[in-house]
Amino acid sequence: MKRQFKGFVAKVEMLRSERATEDKNGFMPIILISIAGETPSKTVISGTVAQRMGIYEGSIYLFQANEIEADPLYGRQFNFMAISKELSAIETLQASDFVGKLRIVKVDSPEDFEEFASESLQLENA
């Protein structure tokens, strides 16, 4: 069954990995570092897609994600959409309160296993 993630707050960061490479347009992939709400465990987005979405490294946005057809090589895949402009600090706190505590849904396993973030996770560390 395909999952929908109706709202989560995440900070956009460049993916820092030895395996991360530029896409055909010369952009590096980005990763969404979730802060609040229910989110899939796979949150890497092509740099070109991020550019077209108008999301930028270091900024925080409200997102939603819809599961799309699984890829034989990469497994379950998600289509992300920023449903807000860049959030200010106050807007981030308000959006986080609205979407609730961070819940990361593991999508690499055959069963959806929900992992709850530590209560000690602090916003400034995200």
Side-chain angles (χ1 to χ4, degrees), residues 12 27 30 32 45-63 80-87:
V12 177
F27 295 108
I30 57 107
L32 304 179
I45 301 174
S46 152
T48 297
V49 172
Q51 187 79 11
R52 288 182 184 150
M53 289 172 61
I55 61 174
Y56 300 99
E57 180 182 3
S59 298
I60 298 173
Y61 302 88
L62 182 61
F63 290 93
F80 295 93
M81 182 171 50
I83 55 176
S84 75
K85 61 178 180 34
E86 180 180 354
L87 299 176

Side-chain angles (χ1 to χ4, degrees), residues 35-99:
I35 297 170
E38 185 179 69
T39 181
S41 59
K42 286 186 170 183
T43 58
V44 175
I45 301 174
S46 152
T48 297
V49 172
Q51 187 79 11
R52 288 182 184 150
M53 289 172 61
I55 61 174
Y56 300 99
E57 180 182 3
S59 298
I60 298 173
Y61 302 88
L62 182 61
F63 290 93
Q64 71 178 27
N66 295 309
E67 188 168 2
I68 57 176
E69 291 300 316
D71 182 274
L73 180 61
Y74 297 110
R76 294 171 74 180
Q77 300 291 301
F78 297 88
N79 182 15
F80 295 93
M81 182 171 50
I83 55 176
S84 75
K85 61 178 180 34
E86 180 180 354
L87 299 176
S88 68
I90 295 297
E91 292 168 328
T92 299
L93 292 172
Q94 291 170 336
S96 296
D97 190 44
F98 181 76
V99 298

Side-chain angles (χ1 to χ4, degrees), residues 3 76 104-107 109-116:
R3 297 275 315 244
R76 294 171 74 180
I104 300 173
V105 177
K106 295 256 187 191
V107 296
S109 64
E111 309 167 0
D112 280 347
F113 173 79
E114 294 184 356
E115 174 184 304
F116 294 90

